[in-house]
Amino acid sequence: MISTIIIAFVVGGLVCVVGQLLFDVAKLTPAHTLSLMVVIGSVLDGFGLYEPFIDFAGAGATVPIMSFGNSLTHGAMAEAEKHGLIGVLTGMFEVTSSGISAAIVFGVIAALIFKSKGKVS
Amino acid sequence: MDAKAYQQTVEQLAPKRPVLRNCLAAFLTGGIICGIGQIISFIFMYFFPFTERTSSNPTVATMVFIAMVLTGLGIYKKIGQFGGAGSAVPVTGFGNAVISAAIEHKSEGFILGVGGNMFKLAGSVIVYGVFSAFVVALIKTILVQVGVINW
Amino acid sequence: MKNARTYQFASKPSIVSTAVAVGPLEKQSPFLPHFDLVYDDERFGQETNEKGHAYLIEETCKLAIMKGGFQTTDIDLLLAGDLVNQITPTNFAARELATPFMGMFSACATSISTLITASFFLESNLMERVLFGSASQHNSVEKQFRYPIEYGAQKPPTGQWTVTGGGFGILSHFQRDKPYVHSATIGKVVDCELKDPLDMGSAMAPAAFDTIQYHLSQNKGTSYDFVMTGDLGKNGSALLQELIRTSGVSSYLVDQYRDAGAEFYGNNDKFLSGASGAGCSATVYFGPIYAELLKKQWKKILFVATGALLSPLSFQQGESIPCIAHAVELSMD
């Protein structure tokens, strides 16, 4: 169990380092970087590589944003396998991106509760 | 003023981004967030009927909830200034982008403000996640149907 | 003799009163003793940041009027602006002040562009008292130009912090014992094709250099206690000094040079390259420096306010950042 946590820590950290290099060296905006990483997650799942990655790295693979791309693609492909081409569209949100629904729900709740502050520190 | 010559002067004199320091901070921050995610995953697997693969769903939702609290309390932006990509790349960063926009635009009302602006920052992630999933799945489906590869 | 950009004001219009107000974070400024009003709430007790921004402008203007011993009805014209879309905070403040009003936008150079314009009206003798100045409120400006306040974006070392503050003054006919406008140079847009909105200092330095160089060429032989730019920040200041040094233009200015943005928050690294915003130059010029001029600590200062004339849309469309700098020579006999 401890080793899984450590692997998650190291892999997750390395994925973020890639993101940081895209920020600082490639000078991409956060939106560009995250969109790129989501697409990478999607492509990796197309090659069947993301699920084994999750088996190896656990949360180090499911917590970074690339896992969105993976779960959307996984859902699309699973449905396409069963129902053919139309499954590409119907399957996408079936293997839920719970992250997206959570973000929307908590976004509304947060807007109800919080006010933004401009403090530096 | 010669633009090219001035740009070279800027290259020389402007403070460079501390890439090594930023990468270390990103590694640490991202690693810790993923480590916490792993612990939360274990909690879901141990106390609830989730497997290693299905536990990612409630884990991600929980992490977004944590991001909401940290964002609302003004803590997440400090983590962001320190950790850079270490806070932006994990799904908590996605949550922070959506939730901070929602809080910010409350002044324009809930329909036009919160609802209309929530995905100001994070929308492209969803758009291109969906679109690339479509393209990848389409290509694979066609290749399978043509007989080149198997599922 | 008139020049295309530099004008001498023979009637010596004087700044007869000023007022400066700031928000809670600005308490960290070494200039704090010279700020008239310091608020504990960045929203100034209002419901939204934008309403707070308007309130800041309204209260600072009222204070400048009161300090001058005037009534609101004595003001012939309000010339002011801010950084928000369509300068609405200034528009709403002008509604409350109910003076004749013309909004102006020169980004962070608005403090000086309004002063220069006011000087022309006074010089023409068509007006008696013109209220000028500018302001910024951090949250409103971030919402307009960058990211939501709670978003965890990482600012690079060239980034600057938008000041919550407003500085306004009243320009009237010459009065002894008040600093007066002696000469001014109107800026031209300078664009060195830089595109990074998180490094405005680098983009604005060439504009400051262009205006300073022109002003000095039209005012040969004048010596200044110092030149103070508005908000180039530590990074932009270094670049401007390099430009001055390599051009051979008045090398003493490399030493007698200050920047309001670099000094505003002192040496606090949390504010990265320094302060910026329409309120940055306004609060420093019309607060501490004005006070020092009144005490005759200085005799002649060249204020050069700088502005980056971009919008979030122009950045998204891949455009570069065009900049401008306006200069005013303030003298005290």
Side-chain angles (χ1 to χ4, degrees):
Chain A
M1 195 155 107
I2 297 287
S3 62
T4 319
I5 297 175
I6 292 178
I7 293 177
F9 172 85
V10 172
V11 174
L14 287 173
V15 170
C16 291
V17 170
V18 171
Q20 189 68 43
L21 290 170
L22 290 171
F23 279 0
D24 285 340
V25 178
K27 299 261 171 79
L28 295 180
T29 68
H32 284 86
T33 303
L34 295 183
S35 301
L36 181 62
M37 297 194 93
V38 154
V39 170
I40 289 173
S42 169
V43 169
L44 285 177
D45 193 45
F47 285 111
L49 294 171
Y50 210 90
E51 293 294 310
F53 182 45
I54 294 177
D55 289 336
F56 167 67
T62 57
V63 169
I65 200 76
M66 302 180 328
S67 75
F68 269 21
N70 167 60
S71 69
L72 289 167
T73 310
H74 213 66
M77 293 196 307
E79 272 306 287
E81 189 175 348
K82 279 191 262 177
H83 301 298
L85 268 174
I86 194 66
V88 170
L89 287 175
T90 59
M92 253 187 264
F93 284 91
E94 274 197 34
V95 184
T96 326
S97 271
S98 59
I100 298 179
S101 351
I104 295 175
V105 167
F106 294 129
V108 176
I109 293 175
L112 285 166
I113 306 175
F114 296 108
K115 256 197 157 142
S116 60
K117 297 187 268 299
K119 302 221 173 17
V120 156
S121 54
Chain B
M1 163 129 349
D2 179 16
K4 284 281 180 290
Y6 179 68
Q7 281 170 26
Q8 279 180 352
T9 314
V10 174
E11 271 299 302
Q12 286 165 14
L13 287 188
K16 300 273 179 295
R17 296 192 191 191
V19 183
L20 190 61
R21 176 248 174 232
N22 283 352
C23 283
L24 284 170
F27 178 80
L28 207 62
T29 310
I32 290 175
I33 293 177
C34 289
I36 293 175
Q38 188 63 63
I39 294 172
I40 294 175
S41 250
F42 279 141
I43 293 175
F44 278 112
M45 289 197 302
Y46 191 66
F47 289 103
F48 300 92
F50 287 104
T51 68
E52 221 171 58
R53 287 206 184 167
T54 60
S55 66
S56 67
N57 279 330
T59 303
V60 159
T62 311
M63 301 213 73
V64 172
F65 174 77
I66 294 173
M68 173 188 93
V69 174
L70 293 176
T71 301
L73 294 176
I75 299 173
Y76 206 91
K77 62 180 181 219
K78 295 180 199 171
I79 300 174
Q81 179 61 29
F82 169 73
S87 74
V89 169
V91 72
T92 47
F94 175 81
N96 168 250
V98 171
I99 292 165
S100 63
I103 295 175
E104 179 94 335
H105 288 273
K106 193 158 84 160
S107 73
E108 291 106 88
F110 273 86
I111 305 297
L112 294 175
V114 177
N117 285 289
M118 204 185 252
F119 290 104
K120 190 158 89 165
L121 295 168
S124 44
V125 171
I126 299 177
V127 169
Y128 291 103
V130 169
F131 189 70
S132 79
F134 170 75
V135 170
V136 168
L138 188 68
I139 292 176
K140 190 145 186 187
T141 309
I142 292 173
L143 288 177
V144 164
Q145 291 191 342
V146 164
V148 175
I149 52 175
N150 294 315
W151 282 112
Chain C
M1 179 156 98
K2 288 239 162 55
N3 302 294
R5 291 168 65 183
T6 302
Y7 295 86
Q8 313 296 330
F9 294 92
S11 75
K12 300 188 184 177
S14 300
I15 302 180
V16 299
S17 81
T18 67
V20 169
V22 298
L25 269 180
E26 285 65 36
K27 290 184 201 168
Q28 295 180 44
S29 173
F31 296 126
L32 184 62
H34 295 286
F35 295 152
D36 298 295
L37 296 169
V38 182
Y39 289 86
D40 282 323
D41 175 14
E42 64 201 355
R43 274 197 195 83
F44 306 95
Q46 306 298 305
E47 289 166 1
T48 66
N49 286 304
E50 288 73 18
K51 282 198 164 96
H53 196 341
Y55 184 82
L56 166 69
I57 296 170
E58 185 194 336
E59 290 303 303
T60 315
C61 284
K62 281 186 182 160
L63 183 62
I65 293 170
M66 195 191 79
K67 280 173 78 176
F70 303 118
Q71 307 286 331
T72 323
T73 43
D74 294 323
I75 302 298
D76 293 318
L77 178 66
L78 167 63
L79 281 174
D82 58 69
L83 299 177
V84 178
N85 277 353
Q86 286 83 61
I87 56 168
T88 40
T90 304
N91 299 339
F92 282 100
R95 175 187 67 187
E96 299 307 310
L97 293 165
T99 59
F101 165 63
M102 276 180 168
M104 290 185 67
F105 181 81
S106 310
C108 304
T110 307
S111 56
I112 295 301
S113 65
T114 50
L115 176 54
I116 295 177
T117 311
S119 302
F120 283 113
F121 292 147
L122 262 299
E123 183 80 1
S124 70
N125 215 4
L126 290 171
M127 291 194 187
E128 302 279 305
R129 279 165 294 277
V130 178
L131 180 54
F132 63 90
S134 61
S136 51
Q137 195 257 9
H138 178 263
N139 296 354
S140 315
V141 175
E142 287 294 303
K143 181 170 172 169
Q144 153 82 99
F145 275 96
R146 281 186 270 265
Y147 296 118
I149 297 295
E150 299 303 338
Y151 181 58
Q154 191 178 45
K155 280 194 179 183
T158 53
Q160 288 169 268
W161 182 268
T162 304
V163 159
T164 295
F168 291 86
I170 297 180
L171 195 70
S172 190
H173 295 300
F174 177 70
Q175 265 184 47
R176 268 192 320 149
D177 296 334
K178 297 281 179 184
Y180 62 90
V181 174
H182 186 252
S183 170
T185 295
I186 299 177
K188 272 189 185 176
V189 174
V190 174
D191 187 343
C192 282
E193 287 156 42
L194 289 168
K195 293 190 181 190
D196 186 1
L198 292 170
D199 182 7
M200 305 256 225
S202 299
M204 295 193 294
F209 176 70
D210 176 69
T211 299
I212 290 174
Q213 190 178 38
Y214 192 88
H215 185 89
L216 291 178
S217 72
Q218 302 300 311
N219 285 286
K220 286 194 173 52
T222 314
S223 73
Y224 302 96
D225 291 294
F226 56 85
V227 173
M228 195 177 215
T229 45
D231 58 357
L232 290 180
K234 298 183 182 128
N235 170 43
S237 300
L239 282 162
L240 176 63
Q241 287 175 297
E242 178 67 13
L243 287 173
I244 293 176
R245 198 187 339 252
T246 51
S247 74
V249 170
S250 234
S251 53
Y252 86 91
L253 281 184
V254 173
D255 301 319
Q256 257 94 302
Y257 166 73
R258 295 171 67 180
D259 179 72
E263 291 182 31
F264 194 96
Y265 291 111
N267 268 321
N268 194 337
D269 275 333
K270 288 212 175 73
F271 295 98
L272 303 165
S273 186
S276 73
C280 174
S281 56
T283 49
V284 177
Y285 289 165
F286 308 140
I289 310 300
Y290 176 80
E292 288 164 7
L293 274 166
L294 265 183
K295 282 188 285 194
K296 306 201 184 185
Q297 196 174 329
W298 315 113
K299 291 180 80 175
K300 199 181 265 291
I301 300 180
L302 186 64
F303 287 155
V304 184
T306 48
L309 302 171
L310 80 169
S311 76
L313 181 64
S314 72
F315 162 67
Q316 282 172 355
Q317 290 178 333
E319 302 276 5
S320 55
I321 304 176
C323 299
I324 200 158
H326 299 295
V328 155
E329 205 179 278
L330 221 55
S331 298
M332 186 70 180
D333 290 336

